[in-house]
Amino acid sequence: MSLSIQQLLENRGITAKSEHLELLQTRWESMQSLRSNLEGIAIDDADIAVRNIPGGDHIEN
C-alpha cells in the first residue's frame, strides 16, 4: 500500500494547506508513474540531470 502525499509530508513534519494537497497529490502520482516506467531499465539509460548554467540561455552557432 502506497502512502499519500499528505502522509509523506506529515511523516517529515511538513503541513501543507488543504488547497495545495490536491495539486501535490496529482504531481506526486505523475512522478510515481514516471518512476514505474524505469523498472528493468539500465541505470545508465535512465540517468537524467537538469543543470542551470548561468548565462547559458543563448544559442551558439
Side-chain angles (χ1 to χ4, degrees):
M1 182 169 129
S2 63
L3 295 174
S4 71
I5 190 65
Q6 182 177 4
Q7 292 167 323
L8 291 169
L9 291 172
E10 287 175 356
N11 289 345
R12 290 177 171 81
I14 301 169
T15 304
K17 294 181 181 180
S18 59
E19 59 266 17
H20 294 153
L21 285 175
E22 185 176 331
L23 175 64
L24 291 171
Q25 184 68 36
T26 302
R27 289 184 180 181
W28 177 251
E29 290 169 356
S30 297
M31 288 187 291
Q32 294 297 18
S33 174
L34 291 171
R35 176 181 267 177
S36 69
N37 292 336
L38 296 176
E39 295 298 323
I41 295 176
I43 191 68
D44 290 340
D45 295 338
D47 188 19
I48 299 172
V50 177
R51 296 180 9 183
N52 179 25
I53 302 171
D57 58 347
H58 61 281
I59 299 173
E60 294 182 24
N61 291 322

